[in-house]
Amino acid sequence: MSLKSYIEKSRKRLRKRKSLIIFLCIIAILGLTTSSYAWFTVNTFAAVEDFELQISTADDLRVSMDNHGSDIEKYTHVITNEMINSYLRKNYNKTMEDILLDPVTTNNGRNFSYQNGAKAEPNDGESYFEFECYFIATRAMDVHLSNEGIDEDGKKTEGTKITSPSPSPLNEVVSANRIAFDPDGGTVKTYEHNKGAAVTSLSTFDLPSGTMTYNDSNNLFSLEKLTPKKVTVRLWLEGEDPECDNDIQRSELHVTLSFAGIRDGQTAPG
């Protein structure tokens, strides 16, 4: 092979290698772009405007923001915004109006961090929302999150609802939020409205759109007779969720959580 032929062949190999390197670089840039699609890029936060817990069974199951021991008459069937605000003022010197949601992420529903890996603390005005409450029952039962409710006349009503009064696309915030239930001595269960593909290692569940089915996925915790159980409720915007982007900034959330108590042998509350 002549020197000229050798040089020309070497140049062709070099051009191919450069093309491969450029192609790989483009793939890497696209990968970075895809992984950073979620998360807000500017700090105009979302807000929790309305939050309510309601018991969708009769007198068997009750709840309170305080531990009243076994004195079940001091527990109620609903936790309102006013009750939550009283808790926030006492423990954080804030109200729900001060609780703004900045995207965070978690793999266990207990420890949260921002996109840069820094630790996030609850109720600081730009992270996630958290409060504690106490459930009690007149008999042993499992407590489930439910899409059904029961009004004062014993008639069925709509139960758990995650809605937004904000216009489209701001109202897509309903699919970017998560709500975790963390019972003392138990396992964290996380509700994801309109559940999509998993975006972290945290397991989540959704509720059926039709007839409610009570099973292990929506079973949050168990209660012993007249023994209160503390449950920490956490709500956040999951930064890894594809819906958690700039389109949902300045949005508002309305949350109603409905709980049902299921005793052994039951298939529905009652």
Side-chain angles (χ1 to χ4, degrees), residues 159-193:
T160 295
K161 294 182 294 182
I162 310 294
T163 60
S164 174
S166 303
S168 179
L170 294 172
N171 58 11
E172 293 173 3
V173 68
V174 300
S175 296
N177 81 93
R178 307 285 190 274
I179 303 175
F181 304 92
D182 187 2
D184 266 12
T187 302
V188 175
K189 292 290 187 71
T190 302
Y191 172 57
E192 178 182 351
H193 181 67

PDB file of all heavy atoms in Angstrom, residues 159-193:
ATOM      1  N   GLY A 159     -66.673  10.419  47.414  1.00  0.00           N
ATOM      2  CA  GLY A 159     -65.664  10.351  48.466  1.00  0.00           C
ATOM      3  C   GLY A 159     -64.410  11.133  48.126  1.00  0.00           C
ATOM      4  O   GLY A 159     -64.456  12.328  47.862  1.00  0.00           O
ATOM      5  N   THR A 160     -63.269  10.440  48.113  1.00  0.00           N
ATOM      6  CA  THR A 160     -61.982  11.088  47.857  1.00  0.00           C
ATOM      7  C   THR A 160     -61.986  11.804  46.510  1.00  0.00           C
ATOM      8  O   THR A 160     -62.348  11.232  45.485  1.00  0.00           O
ATOM      9  CB  THR A 160     -60.851  10.045  47.894  1.00  0.00           C
ATOM     10  OG1 THR A 160     -60.750   9.526  49.226  1.00  0.00           O
ATOM     11  CG2 THR A 160     -59.521  10.657  47.495  1.00  0.00           C
ATOM     12  N   LYS A 161     -61.587  13.087  46.535  1.00  0.00           N
ATOM     13  CA  LYS A 161     -61.548  13.890  45.317  1.00  0.00           C
ATOM     14  C   LYS A 161     -60.282  14.746  45.323  1.00  0.00           C
ATOM     15  O   LYS A 161     -59.949  15.361  46.327  1.00  0.00           O
ATOM     16  CB  LYS A 161     -62.761  14.821  45.222  1.00  0.00           C
ATOM     17  CG  LYS A 161     -64.094  14.130  45.066  1.00  0.00           C
ATOM     18  CD  LYS A 161     -65.208  15.144  44.922  1.00  0.00           C
ATOM     19  CE  LYS A 161     -65.386  15.960  46.180  1.00  0.00           C
ATOM     20  NZ  LYS A 161     -66.506  16.925  46.083  1.00  0.00           N
ATOM     21  N   ILE A 162     -59.594  14.776  44.206  1.00  0.00           N
ATOM     22  CA  ILE A 162     -58.471  15.691  43.995  1.00  0.00           C
ATOM     23  C   ILE A 162     -58.844  16.538  42.783  1.00  0.00           C
ATOM     24  O   ILE A 162     -58.915  16.043  41.660  1.00  0.00           O
ATOM     25  CB  ILE A 162     -57.147  14.941  43.718  1.00  0.00           C
ATOM     26  CG1 ILE A 162     -56.911  13.853  44.764  1.00  0.00           C
ATOM     27  CG2 ILE A 162     -55.987  15.933  43.678  1.00  0.00           C
ATOM     28  CD1 ILE A 162     -56.672  14.369  46.153  1.00  0.00           C
ATOM     29  N   THR A 163     -59.105  17.818  43.012  1.00  0.00           N
ATOM     30  CA  THR A 163     -59.536  18.689  41.925  1.00  0.00           C
ATOM     31  C   THR A 163     -58.740  19.989  41.955  1.00  0.00           C
ATOM     32  O   THR A 163     -58.022  20.276  42.910  1.00  0.00           O
ATOM     33  CB  THR A 163     -61.041  19.011  42.026  1.00  0.00           C
ATOM     34  OG1 THR A 163     -61.284  19.679  43.284  1.00  0.00           O
ATOM     35  CG2 THR A 163     -61.877  17.751  41.961  1.00  0.00           C
ATOM     36  N   SER A 164     -58.908  20.763  40.885  1.00  0.00           N
ATOM     37  CA  SER A 164     -58.279  22.073  40.806  1.00  0.00           C
ATOM     38  C   SER A 164     -59.238  23.049  40.143  1.00  0.00           C
ATOM     39  O   SER A 164     -59.781  22.752  39.077  1.00  0.00           O
ATOM     40  CB  SER A 164     -56.973  22.019  40.007  1.00  0.00           C
ATOM     41  OG  SER A 164     -56.443  23.323  39.821  1.00  0.00           O
ATOM     42  N   PRO A 165     -59.455  24.226  40.768  1.00  0.00           N
ATOM     43  CA  PRO A 165     -60.301  25.227  40.145  1.00  0.00           C
ATOM     44  C   PRO A 165     -59.565  26.012  39.061  1.00  0.00           C
ATOM     45  O   PRO A 165     -60.167  26.835  38.376  1.00  0.00           O
ATOM     46  CB  PRO A 165     -60.670  26.140  41.321  1.00  0.00           C
ATOM     47  CG  PRO A 165     -59.471  26.066  42.220  1.00  0.00           C
ATOM     48  CD  PRO A 165     -58.970  24.654  42.093  1.00  0.00           C
ATOM     49  N   SER A 166     -58.281  25.751  38.915  1.00  0.00           N
ATOM     50  CA  SER A 166     -57.473  26.485  37.945  1.00  0.00           C
ATOM     51  C   SER A 166     -57.802  26.029  36.527  1.00  0.00           C
ATOM     52  O   SER A 166     -58.154  24.875  36.292  1.00  0.00           O
ATOM     53  CB  SER A 166     -55.980  26.257  38.221  1.00  0.00           C
ATOM     54  OG  SER A 166     -55.638  26.640  39.545  1.00  0.00           O
ATOM     55  N   PRO A 167     -57.687  26.921  35.536  1.00  0.00           N
ATOM     56  CA  PRO A 167     -57.959  26.545  34.143  1.00  0.00           C
ATOM     57  C   PRO A 167     -56.849  25.658  33.589  1.00  0.00           C
ATOM     58  O   PRO A 167     -55.759  25.566  34.164  1.00  0.00           O
ATOM     59  CB  PRO A 167     -57.989  27.897  33.426  1.00  0.00           C
ATOM     60  CG  PRO A 167     -57.086  28.776  34.246  1.00  0.00           C
ATOM     61  CD  PRO A 167     -57.294  28.349  35.665  1.00  0.00           C
ATOM     62  N   SER A 168     -57.143  25.020  32.470  1.00  0.00           N
ATOM     63  CA  SER A 168     -56.135  24.204  31.775  1.00  0.00           C
ATOM     64  C   SER A 168     -55.026  25.123  31.226  1.00  0.00           C
ATOM     65  O   SER A 168     -55.314  26.235  30.770  1.00  0.00           O
ATOM     66  CB  SER A 168     -56.795  23.440  30.631  1.00  0.00           C
ATOM     67  OG  SER A 168     -55.855  22.664  29.935  1.00  0.00           O
ATOM     68  N   PRO A 169     -53.756  24.710  31.263  1.00  0.00           N
ATOM     69  CA  PRO A 169     -53.234  23.432  31.735  1.00  0.00           C
ATOM     70  C   PRO A 169     -52.866  23.425  33.222  1.00  0.00           C
ATOM     71  O   PRO A 169     -52.305  22.457  33.715  1.00  0.00           O
ATOM     72  CB  PRO A 169     -51.975  23.255  30.883  1.00  0.00           C
ATOM     73  CG  PRO A 169     -51.454  24.658  30.741  1.00  0.00           C
ATOM     74  CD  PRO A 169     -52.684  25.533  30.618  1.00  0.00           C
ATOM     75  N   LEU A 170     -53.182  24.520  33.949  1.00  0.00           N
ATOM     76  CA  LEU A 170     -52.838  24.568  35.370  1.00  0.00           C
ATOM     77  C   LEU A 170     -53.476  23.417  36.148  1.00  0.00           C
ATOM     78  O   LEU A 170     -52.883  22.895  37.102  1.00  0.00           O
ATOM     79  CB  LEU A 170     -53.293  25.901  35.975  1.00  0.00           C
ATOM     80  CG  LEU A 170     -52.606  27.175  35.486  1.00  0.00           C
ATOM     81  CD1 LEU A 170     -53.303  28.404  36.045  1.00  0.00           C
ATOM     82  CD2 LEU A 170     -51.137  27.176  35.896  1.00  0.00           C
ATOM     83  N   ASN A 171     -54.670  23.005  35.731  1.00  0.00           N
ATOM     84  CA  ASN A 171     -55.371  21.968  36.481  1.00  0.00           C
ATOM     85  C   ASN A 171     -54.738  20.584  36.360  1.00  0.00           C
ATOM     86  O   ASN A 171     -55.167  19.640  37.019  1.00  0.00           O
ATOM     87  CB  ASN A 171     -56.842  21.907  36.075  1.00  0.00           C
ATOM     88  CG  ASN A 171     -57.050  21.656  34.593  1.00  0.00           C
ATOM     89  OD1 ASN A 171     -56.109  21.325  33.872  1.00  0.00           O
ATOM     90  ND2 ASN A 171     -58.288  21.814  34.130  1.00  0.00           N
ATOM     91  N   GLU A 172     -53.711  20.457  35.527  1.00  0.00           N
ATOM     92  CA  GLU A 172     -52.984  19.190  35.450  1.00  0.00           C
ATOM     93  C   GLU A 172     -52.211  18.894  36.733  1.00  0.00           C
ATOM     94  O   GLU A 172     -51.647  17.815  36.905  1.00  0.00           O
ATOM     95  CB  GLU A 172     -52.028  19.196  34.257  1.00  0.00           C
ATOM     96  CG  GLU A 172     -52.751  19.220  32.909  1.00  0.00           C
ATOM     97  CD  GLU A 172     -51.799  19.393  31.730  1.00  0.00           C
ATOM     98  OE1 GLU A 172     -50.579  19.433  31.962  1.00  0.00           O
ATOM     99  OE2 GLU A 172     -52.288  19.482  30.594  1.00  0.00           O
ATOM    100  N   VAL A 173     -52.210  19.851  37.667  1.00  0.00           N
ATOM    101  CA  VAL A 173     -51.569  19.655  38.963  1.00  0.00           C
ATOM    102  C   VAL A 173     -52.170  18.459  39.710  1.00  0.00           C
ATOM    103  O   VAL A 173     -51.501  17.850  40.548  1.00  0.00           O
ATOM    104  CB  VAL A 173     -51.682  20.941  39.807  1.00  0.00           C
ATOM    105  CG1 VAL A 173     -53.123  21.210  40.215  1.00  0.00           C
ATOM    106  CG2 VAL A 173     -50.785  20.872  41.036  1.00  0.00           C
ATOM    107  N   VAL A 174     -53.421  18.107  39.386  1.00  0.00           N
ATOM    108  CA  VAL A 174     -54.059  16.996  40.098  1.00  0.00           C
ATOM    109  C   VAL A 174     -53.344  15.669  39.835  1.00  0.00           C
ATOM    110  O   VAL A 174     -53.435  14.735  40.645  1.00  0.00           O
ATOM    111  CB  VAL A 174     -55.551  16.868  39.728  1.00  0.00           C
ATOM    112  CG1 VAL A 174     -56.318  18.133  40.090  1.00  0.00           C
ATOM    113  CG2 VAL A 174     -55.735  16.537  38.254  1.00  0.00           C
ATOM    114  N   SER A 175     -52.638  15.575  38.714  1.00  0.00           N
ATOM    115  CA  SER A 175     -51.923  14.337  38.392  1.00  0.00           C
ATOM    116  C   SER A 175     -50.471  14.361  38.840  1.00  0.00           C
ATOM    117  O   SER A 175     -49.794  13.329  38.800  1.00  0.00           O
ATOM    118  CB  SER A 175     -51.986  14.070  36.882  1.00  0.00           C
ATOM    119  OG  SER A 175     -53.312  13.855  36.466  1.00  0.00           O
ATOM    120  N   ALA A 176     -49.979  15.515  39.260  1.00  0.00           N
ATOM    121  CA  ALA A 176     -48.581  15.623  39.677  1.00  0.00           C
ATOM    122  C   ALA A 176     -48.408  15.479  41.176  1.00  0.00           C
ATOM    123  O   ALA A 176     -47.293  15.333  41.668  1.00  0.00           O
ATOM    124  CB  ALA A 176     -47.998  16.962  39.233  1.00  0.00           C
ATOM    125  N   ASN A 177     -49.516  15.510  41.924  1.00  0.00           N
ATOM    126  CA  ASN A 177     -49.395  15.432  43.384  1.00  0.00           C
ATOM    127  C   ASN A 177     -49.453  13.993  43.885  1.00  0.00           C
ATOM    128  O   ASN A 177     -49.943  13.089  43.210  1.00  0.00           O
ATOM    129  CB  ASN A 177     -50.472  16.296  44.056  1.00  0.00           C
ATOM    130  CG  ASN A 177     -51.806  15.580  44.125  1.00  0.00           C
ATOM    131  OD1 ASN A 177     -52.123  14.933  45.116  1.00  0.00           O
ATOM    132  ND2 ASN A 177     -52.598  15.691  43.056  1.00  0.00           N
ATOM    133  N   ARG A 178     -48.935  13.806  45.080  1.00  0.00           N
ATOM    134  CA  ARG A 178     -48.993  12.533  45.786  1.00  0.00           C
ATOM    135  C   ARG A 178     -49.425  12.809  47.222  1.00  0.00           C
ATOM    136  O   ARG A 178     -49.123  13.870  47.776  1.00  0.00           O
ATOM    137  CB  ARG A 178     -47.637  11.824  45.818  1.00  0.00           C
ATOM    138  CG  ARG A 178     -46.961  11.640  44.463  1.00  0.00           C
ATOM    139  CD  ARG A 178     -47.591  10.548  43.634  1.00  0.00           C
ATOM    140  NE  ARG A 178     -46.782  10.247  42.466  1.00  0.00           N
ATOM    141  CZ  ARG A 178     -46.859  10.899  41.308  1.00  0.00           C
ATOM    142  NH1 ARG A 178     -47.719  11.904  41.179  1.00  0.00           N
ATOM    143  NH2 ARG A 178     -46.097  10.569  40.286  1.00  0.00           N
ATOM    144  N   ILE A 179     -50.104  11.836  47.841  1.00  0.00           N
ATOM    145  CA  ILE A 179     -50.491  11.956  49.244  1.00  0.00           C
ATOM    146  C   ILE A 179     -50.094  10.671  49.951  1.00  0.00           C
ATOM    147  O   ILE A 179     -50.565   9.580  49.598  1.00  0.00           O
ATOM    148  CB  ILE A 179     -51.996  12.204  49.407  1.00  0.00           C
ATOM    149  CG1 ILE A 179     -52.415  13.455  48.637  1.00  0.00           C
ATOM    150  CG2 ILE A 179     -52.359  12.347  50.884  1.00  0.00           C
ATOM    151  CD1 ILE A 179     -53.912  13.715  48.642  1.00  0.00           C
ATOM    152  N   ALA A 180     -49.227  10.812  50.952  1.00  0.00           N
ATOM    153  CA  ALA A 180     -48.742   9.652  51.694  1.00  0.00           C
ATOM    154  C   ALA A 180     -49.407   9.587  53.067  1.00  0.00           C
ATOM    155  O   ALA A 180     -49.633  10.617  53.711  1.00  0.00           O
ATOM    156  CB  ALA A 180     -47.222   9.718  51.859  1.00  0.00           C
ATOM    157  N   PHE A 181     -49.708   8.376  53.512  1.00  0.00           N
ATOM    158  CA  PHE A 181     -50.274   8.127  54.833  1.00  0.00           C
ATOM    159  C   PHE A 181     -49.266   7.281  55.601  1.00  0.00           C
ATOM    160  O   PHE A 181     -48.957   6.160  55.202  1.00  0.00           O
ATOM    161  CB  PHE A 181     -51.618   7.403  54.706  1.00  0.00           C
ATOM    162  CG  PHE A 181     -52.606   8.143  53.851  1.00  0.00           C
ATOM    163  CD1 PHE A 181     -52.691   7.887  52.482  1.00  0.00           C
ATOM    164  CD2 PHE A 181     -53.441   9.108  54.389  1.00  0.00           C
ATOM    165  CE1 PHE A 181     -53.592   8.573  51.677  1.00  0.00           C
ATOM    166  CE2 PHE A 181     -54.346   9.799  53.589  1.00  0.00           C
ATOM    167  CZ  PHE A 181     -54.422   9.533  52.244  1.00  0.00           C
ATOM    168  N   ASP A 182     -48.763   7.842  56.684  1.00  0.00           N
ATOM    169  CA  ASP A 182     -47.671   7.221  57.430  1.00  0.00           C
ATOM    170  C   ASP A 182     -48.130   6.935  58.863  1.00  0.00           C
ATOM    171  O   ASP A 182     -48.032   7.783  59.745  1.00  0.00           O
ATOM    172  CB  ASP A 182     -46.462   8.171  57.424  1.00  0.00           C
ATOM    173  CG  ASP A 182     -45.224   7.533  58.022  1.00  0.00           C
ATOM    174  OD1 ASP A 182     -45.276   6.348  58.418  1.00  0.00           O
ATOM    175  OD2 ASP A 182     -44.190   8.233  58.118  1.00  0.00           O
ATOM    176  N   PRO A 183     -48.669   5.729  59.124  1.00  0.00           N
ATOM    177  CA  PRO A 183     -49.154   5.403  60.461  1.00  0.00           C
ATOM    178  C   PRO A 183     -48.015   5.011  61.396  1.00  0.00           C
ATOM    179  O   PRO A 183     -47.044   4.377  60.961  1.00  0.00           O
ATOM    180  CB  PRO A 183     -50.085   4.214  60.213  1.00  0.00           C
ATOM    181  CG  PRO A 183     -49.495   3.542  59.007  1.00  0.00           C
ATOM    182  CD  PRO A 183     -48.893   4.633  58.164  1.00  0.00           C
ATOM    183  N   ASP A 184     -48.110   5.391  62.656  1.00  0.00           N
ATOM    184  CA  ASP A 184     -47.097   4.994  63.638  1.00  0.00           C
ATOM    185  C   ASP A 184     -46.962   3.471  63.653  1.00  0.00           C
ATOM    186  O   ASP A 184     -47.956   2.749  63.790  1.00  0.00           O
ATOM    187  CB  ASP A 184     -47.498   5.477  65.040  1.00  0.00           C
ATOM    188  CG  ASP A 184     -46.881   6.818  65.372  1.00  0.00           C
ATOM    189  OD1 ASP A 184     -46.337   7.466  64.457  1.00  0.00           O
ATOM    190  OD2 ASP A 184     -46.949   7.227  66.554  1.00  0.00           O
ATOM    191  N   GLY A 185     -45.735   3.005  63.495  1.00  0.00           N
ATOM    192  CA  GLY A 185     -45.484   1.575  63.531  1.00  0.00           C
ATOM    193  C   GLY A 185     -45.936   0.829  62.299  1.00  0.00           C
ATOM    194  O   GLY A 185     -45.926  -0.402  62.277  1.00  0.00           O
ATOM    195  N   GLY A 186     -46.342   1.549  61.252  1.00  0.00           N
ATOM    196  CA  GLY A 186     -46.847   0.895  60.057  1.00  0.00           C
ATOM    197  C   GLY A 186     -46.045   1.237  58.817  1.00  0.00           C
ATOM    198  O   GLY A 186     -44.948   1.789  58.886  1.00  0.00           O
ATOM    199  N   THR A 187     -46.602   0.929  57.671  1.00  0.00           N
ATOM    200  CA  THR A 187     -45.960   1.127  56.376  1.00  0.00           C
ATOM    201  C   THR A 187     -46.594   2.313  55.660  1.00  0.00           C
ATOM    202  O   THR A 187     -47.814   2.484  55.689  1.00  0.00           O
ATOM    203  CB  THR A 187     -46.120  -0.134  55.499  1.00  0.00           C
ATOM    204  OG1 THR A 187     -45.555  -1.255  56.195  1.00  0.00           O
ATOM    205  CG2 THR A 187     -45.426   0.039  54.162  1.00  0.00           C
ATOM    206  N   VAL A 188     -45.782   3.128  55.029  1.00  0.00           N
ATOM    207  CA  VAL A 188     -46.288   4.259  54.265  1.00  0.00           C
ATOM    208  C   VAL A 188     -47.057   3.750  53.049  1.00  0.00           C
ATOM    209  O   VAL A 188     -46.580   2.896  52.310  1.00  0.00           O
ATOM    210  CB  VAL A 188     -45.134   5.179  53.804  1.00  0.00           C
ATOM    211  CG1 VAL A 188     -45.676   6.292  52.910  1.00  0.00           C
ATOM    212  CG2 VAL A 188     -44.412   5.775  54.997  1.00  0.00           C
ATOM    213  N   LYS A 189     -48.268   4.286  52.849  1.00  0.00           N
ATOM    214  CA  LYS A 189     -49.058   4.013  51.646  1.00  0.00           C
ATOM    215  C   LYS A 189     -49.273   5.347  50.935  1.00  0.00           C
ATOM    216  O   LYS A 189     -49.645   6.341  51.570  1.00  0.00           O
ATOM    217  CB  LYS A 189     -50.397   3.383  51.998  1.00  0.00           C
ATOM    218  CG  LYS A 189     -50.319   1.977  52.571  1.00  0.00           C
ATOM    219  CD  LYS A 189     -49.891   0.989  51.506  1.00  0.00           C
ATOM    220  CE  LYS A 189     -49.970  -0.451  51.991  1.00  0.00           C
ATOM    221  NZ  LYS A 189     -51.363  -0.929  52.141  1.00  0.00           N
ATOM    222  N   THR A 190     -49.072   5.385  49.629  1.00  0.00           N
ATOM    223  CA  THR A 190     -49.121   6.645  48.887  1.00  0.00           C
ATOM    224  C   THR A 190     -50.169   6.602  47.789  1.00  0.00           C
ATOM    225  O   THR A 190     -50.148   5.734  46.916  1.00  0.00           O
ATOM    226  CB  THR A 190     -47.743   6.967  48.262  1.00  0.00           C
ATOM    227  OG1 THR A 190     -46.778   7.034  49.311  1.00  0.00           O
ATOM    228  CG2 THR A 190     -47.786   8.307  47.537  1.00  0.00           C
ATOM    229  N   TYR A 191     -51.075   7.559  47.848  1.00  0.00           N
ATOM    230  CA  TYR A 191     -52.142   7.691  46.848  1.00  0.00           C
ATOM    231  C   TYR A 191     -51.679   8.593  45.712  1.00  0.00           C
ATOM    232  O   TYR A 191     -51.188   9.696  45.939  1.00  0.00           O
ATOM    233  CB  TYR A 191     -53.388   8.273  47.507  1.00  0.00           C
ATOM    234  CG  TYR A 191     -54.493   8.643  46.551  1.00  0.00           C
ATOM    235  CD1 TYR A 191     -55.038   7.708  45.674  1.00  0.00           C
ATOM    236  CD2 TYR A 191     -55.017   9.939  46.536  1.00  0.00           C
ATOM    237  CE1 TYR A 191     -56.060   8.051  44.806  1.00  0.00           C
ATOM    238  CE2 TYR A 191     -56.043  10.287  45.671  1.00  0.00           C
ATOM    239  CZ  TYR A 191     -56.563   9.343  44.808  1.00  0.00           C
ATOM    240  OH  TYR A 191     -57.570   9.688  43.946  1.00  0.00           O
ATOM    241  N   GLU A 192     -51.866   8.115  44.478  1.00  0.00           N
ATOM    242  CA  GLU A 192     -51.544   8.889  43.282  1.00  0.00           C
ATOM    243  C   GLU A 192     -52.789   8.979  42.414  1.00  0.00           C
ATOM    244  O   GLU A 192     -53.225   7.992  41.818  1.00  0.00           O
ATOM    245  CB  GLU A 192     -50.404   8.243  42.493  1.00  0.00           C
ATOM    246  CG  GLU A 192     -50.060   8.977  41.209  1.00  0.00           C
ATOM    247  CD  GLU A 192     -48.970   8.304  40.399  1.00  0.00           C
ATOM    248  OE1 GLU A 192     -48.345   7.351  40.889  1.00  0.00           O
ATOM    249  OE2 GLU A 192     -48.758   8.739  39.248  1.00  0.00           O
ATOM    250  N   HIS A 193     -53.386  10.156  42.355  1.00  0.00           N
ATOM    251  CA  HIS A 193     -54.577  10.366  41.537  1.00  0.00           C
ATOM    252  C   HIS A 193     -54.198  10.251  40.055  1.00  0.00           C
ATOM    253  O   HIS A 193     -53.200  10.821  39.612  1.00  0.00           O
ATOM    254  CB  HIS A 193     -55.145  11.756  41.830  1.00  0.00           C
ATOM    255  CG  HIS A 193     -56.385  12.081  41.074  1.00  0.00           C
ATOM    256  ND1 HIS A 193     -57.581  11.434  41.290  1.00  0.00           N
ATOM    257  CD2 HIS A 193     -56.627  12.996  40.094  1.00  0.00           C
ATOM    258  CE1 HIS A 193     -58.502  11.931  40.491  1.00  0.00           C
ATOM    259  NE2 HIS A 193     -57.948  12.874  39.749  1.00  0.00           N
TER     260      HIS A 193
END
